[in-house]
Every structure is written in C-alpha cells, then in structure tokens.
Amino acid sequence: MSSKTMKAIRLHEHGGPEVLRYEEVPVPGLKPGEVLVRAHAVGINPPDWYLRDGMQNLPPETRPKFDFPVIPGTDVSGVVEAVAPDVDGFAVGDEVFGLLRFPSFDGSTYAEYVAAPAAHLARKPAGIDHVRAAGAAMSGLTAWQFLIELGHDHPSPFQEARHRPVPLAPGATVLVNGAAGGVGHFALQLAKWQGAHVIAVGAGAQEPFLRELGADEFIDYTTVRAEEVARDVDLVIDTVGGPTSSRFFQSIKRGGSLFPVFFGEYDADEAARLQITVSGTQVRSNGAQLAELGALLDDGTVRVAIGGTFPLAQARQAHERAARGNIQGKLVLTVAGS
Ligand SMILES: NC(=O)c1ccc[n+]([C@@H]2O[C@H](COP(=O)([O-])OP(=O)(O)OC[C@H]3O[C@@H](n4cnc5c(N)ncnc54)[C@H](OP(=O)(O)O)[C@@H]3O)[C@@H](O)[C@H]2O)c1
C-alpha cells in the first residue's frame, strides 16, 4: 500500500446500491507479477451486485464471507502507470484492458488505480476506446470461453465435467437467450463469426439492435415463449437460466447442446434421453484470450455495445440503472481525469 491516495468505490457492508460509497483510499501497492493501471473506464457486471448484496442468490450456508471494506469490480481499461520488476510484456504508458482475478471477486476495479495481474491483461485494441474495452472484458471472455475455447482446466462449481465448446458447422443454428445483454450480444456475434444462423431472443424494442449485430431471426420474449416457436436448434446459449431452464429442451435437436451461462435447474435423465448435452463453466481471467478477442474488436468483427456510462462517483446510480434492465449491451463507469 502506498501513501498516495485515490478515489474509489468501497463497500463497508452488504446491501442495496446505497452501500456503494465514494471514498478517498490508498493507491494499491504492487505484488510480483502485477501492473498498476490508471483506470479510464470500468465495466460493470452482475457479479458486482452479487458481491454488493452478499451473494443472496446462493444458499446461506454456501455464501462466501468478505473482509470489509471491499472495492468491487472486475473489469478495467486504462494506461499502465507502473510495473512490478518481474513483469515482462507491459511498459509504462501501454493501454491495457482486463478481467481481473475472477472468479475470486477481488478485482477491485471501481477505483482510479488498479493493481492488475499482468497475466489477466491484454493490450487495448487501438480501434476502440477505453469505455468499449472495459465493457468487453468479462462479458466478452464469458462468450469466448463458452463458445470458442475454454482455456483452463479449473472445475466449475456448478458441474463436474469440463465444459467443451461445440464446434459449430457452417449454418448450424444457435439460439441466444438474453441476446441484448452483456454476454448475449457477444455470444450472438461470436456465433455469427463462426458461421452460425443465429436466433436472438430479447425484448421487442431490441430487435433493430440485434438485427444490426447480425441476428438472422428475432423472438420477442415479452410476447412469445421462445421455446414454443424455436425448433431444431443445434445450440442454445441461455444467459437467463433459472428454475425453468429445461424448457429449451423442446427447441434443441437430438445431439444438440444447451449452455446455461447463469446456473439453471435441469433434469439430467431427461437431457440424456433427448441426447442433449447440458454444459457450462465459470469464466476465468485470461489475458491471452482477451488478446484474441481484442483482434476481433479491433477490426470491427465484434462490436461492444454501450447502453450507458456513469462517472465512477455515480456507481450507485449505475447499479440502480442495471436493476431496471432493458439495456443494449454494457453499462460502464468512466473515471475522472482520464
Ligand atoms: N458462467 C459465468 O461465468 C458467467 C459470466 C458472466 C455472467 N454470468 C451470468 O449470466 C447472466 C447474464 O449476464 P450478463 O452480464 O449478460 O447480464 P445482462 O447484461 O443483464 O443481460 C441479461 C439479459 O437477459 C435478458 N432477459 C431477462 N429476462 C429474460 C427472459 N425472461 N427471457 C429472455 N431474456 C431475458 C435481459 O433483457 P431485459 O433487459 O429485457 O430484461 C438482458 O438483455 C447473469 O446471471 C450473470 O450472473 C455468468
């Protein structure tokens, strides 16, 4: 820890958006393997409110305990301010972005300065700004690890078997549930990049946005039950999940797959009878994969949609906005003075 200070958002207790406090705190010191990043933009993601509310979506006995105060956040884009002596590959002044220390929930990115493991960073694509780069980290890597390459051997807390992305034959049909959201809009574009025919499921007003991103078909979930109209789908990537997740079995052809991004409840026997593979994973930080995704962001193959920005000091308002939904892509915090 240095004697210099910075502004950051901290939690001193779990609760609603009001527990996000904008405070003066020490600039973090560097451990071996780390880089100090002057943050320009901070992507926000559902795990930020899971941490904030104390993991209310988990059974009480399985909720992890956190040492307060905690700086939330996992995603950052900014400029390298300092590097630990053992770090190769990054230098002061480099523009970088990353998903930090996930899934251990100590990315601490809601701050002006962030100590980042170098292995979790990639060069920011020159063709996109810091706001878009920050918006791409967790959501983009999640879509990448589900659809393109897992990139790690760590077990998921939600399943024993190692997740395997399905090679998509050209013309394979992929249904993306929650397609206008953070993960969904990347999944849609990566599936298109793989040559798939994509059915996007979102709220009605999102149709022009999703068509522009490449959706071949659109289903408005507010008026139609997607599982009742979609048929012979090779892969459903479901970013919504929940207790009725098996409903998509009727849309998937034999030999097809269902990838729950948010954990759902599935009948394993029913899946086996229908010859449907249900498989998911938990995203993990990976700078090398971000660099691969970064090349697609740089040349415009994959776009980062920004549904709104808020100054860091207004993280509370950003969380309140997120809770209302109906957002195209990502919400991002911008950092003053950057
Ligand atoms: N496995 C992992 O490692 C991993 C990684 C990242 C995220 N996640 C999880 O994946 C989920 C999605 O994350 P995200 O960042 O993409 O969230 P997000 O940006 O909030 O996107 C969720 C999307 O789902 C849509 N939606 C909500 N209810 C729906 C319904 N009944 N039918 C169809 N679409 C519906 C929302 O649309 P509206 O705005 O219209 O409600 C929104 O576009 C979260 O639960 C998150 O925790 C898991």
Side-chain angles (χ1 to χ4, degrees):
M1 213 73 87
S2 85
S3 56
K4 278 179 63 184
T5 62
M6 65 175 184
K7 293 290 190 198
I9 297 288
R10 291 202 303 188
L11 305 171
H12 295 260
E13 61 189 316
H14 294 300
E18 70 284 355
V19 301
L20 297 164
R21 290 204 223 153
Y22 187 61
E23 298 181 330
E24 195 78 24
V25 307
V27 170
L30 287 186
K31 298 192 186 106
E34 289 187 343
V35 165
L36 187 67
V37 178
R38 168 87 171 90
H40 285 228
V42 174
I44 75 172
N45 292 282
D48 303 352
W49 38 95
Y50 304 155
L51 168 62
R52 192 202 70 216
D53 74 13
M55 307 279 173
Q56 295 294 317
N57 57 0
L58 294 178
E61 63 281 7
T62 65
R63 289 177 197 156
K65 296 267 180 284
F66 296 94
D67 289 330
F68 294 116
V70 176
I71 299 176
T74 59
D75 289 6
V76 69
S77 183
V79 176
V80 173
E81 180 92 1
V83 292
D86 62 335
V87 170
D88 292 325
F90 291 106
V92 171
D94 287 347
E95 295 190 308
V96 293
F97 73 127
L99 161 69
L100 308 185
R101 298 187 198 88
F102 201 80
S104 66
F105 284 91
D106 56 353
S108 301
T109 60
Y110 282 29
E112 290 180 323
Y113 291 92
V114 176
H120 297 174
L121 294 174
R123 300 292 169 107
K124 180 184 80 64
I128 63 171
D129 60 18
H130 285 290
V131 166
R132 285 180 204 280
M138 173 178 279
S139 297
L141 265 188
T142 302
W144 190 271
Q145 291 179 8
F146 268 81
L147 291 178
I148 310 297
E149 185 201 13
L150 181 60
H152 62 79
D153 276 325
H154 298 273
S156 161
F158 309 118
Q159 71 180 38
E160 280 177 30
R162 190 177 190 270
H163 173 72
R164 284 189 196 286
V166 183
L168 293 174
T173 301
V174 175
L175 183 147
V176 182
N177 194 34
V183 177
H185 87 294
F186 287 112
L188 185 169
Q189 295 178 83
L190 289 176
K192 286 300 296 178
W193 176 59
Q194 296 277 289
H197 176 92
V198 175
I199 304 170
V201 182
Q206 309 294 359
E207 179 169 3
F209 164 62
L210 294 170
R211 295 265 185 201
E212 209 194 324
L213 290 182
D216 299 288
E217 296 180 48
F218 173 78
I219 299 172
D220 176 0
Y221 79 83
T222 65
T223 58
V224 178
R225 296 172 73 87
E227 68 276 13
E228 286 177 4
V229 294
R231 286 292 173 271
D232 292 329
V233 171
D234 293 279
L235 168 65
V236 170
I237 177 156
D238 183 5
T239 72
V240 180
T244 61
S245 308
S246 297
R247 67 191 186 279
F248 280 112
F249 283 174
Q250 61 191 294
S251 300
I252 299 172
K253 61 172 65 158
R254 280 176 185 258
S257 302
L258 174 56
F259 289 175
V261 179
F262 186 67
F263 51 86
E265 288 164 28
Y266 302 90
D267 181 336
D269 294 336
E270 177 75 351
R273 190 180 64 75
L274 297 169
Q275 297 168 23
I276 291 171
T277 302
V278 179
S279 177
T281 186
Q282 189 175 36
V283 68
R284 298 193 81 90
S285 300
N286 190 320
Q289 286 182 326
L290 260 191
E292 288 186 73
L293 175 63
L296 301 180
L297 301 176
D298 208 19
D299 70 13
T301 303
V302 173
R303 287 158 43 197
V304 189
I306 301 300
T309 62
F310 292 81
L312 176 66
Q314 291 179 18
R316 170 186 178 159
Q317 287 84 342
H319 278 215
E320 287 167 349
R321 173 68 192 89
R324 292 197 297 276
N326 206 15
I327 294 161
Q328 292 186 350
K330 298 292 303 178
L331 296 181
V332 173
L333 303 173
T334 54
V335 182
S338 57

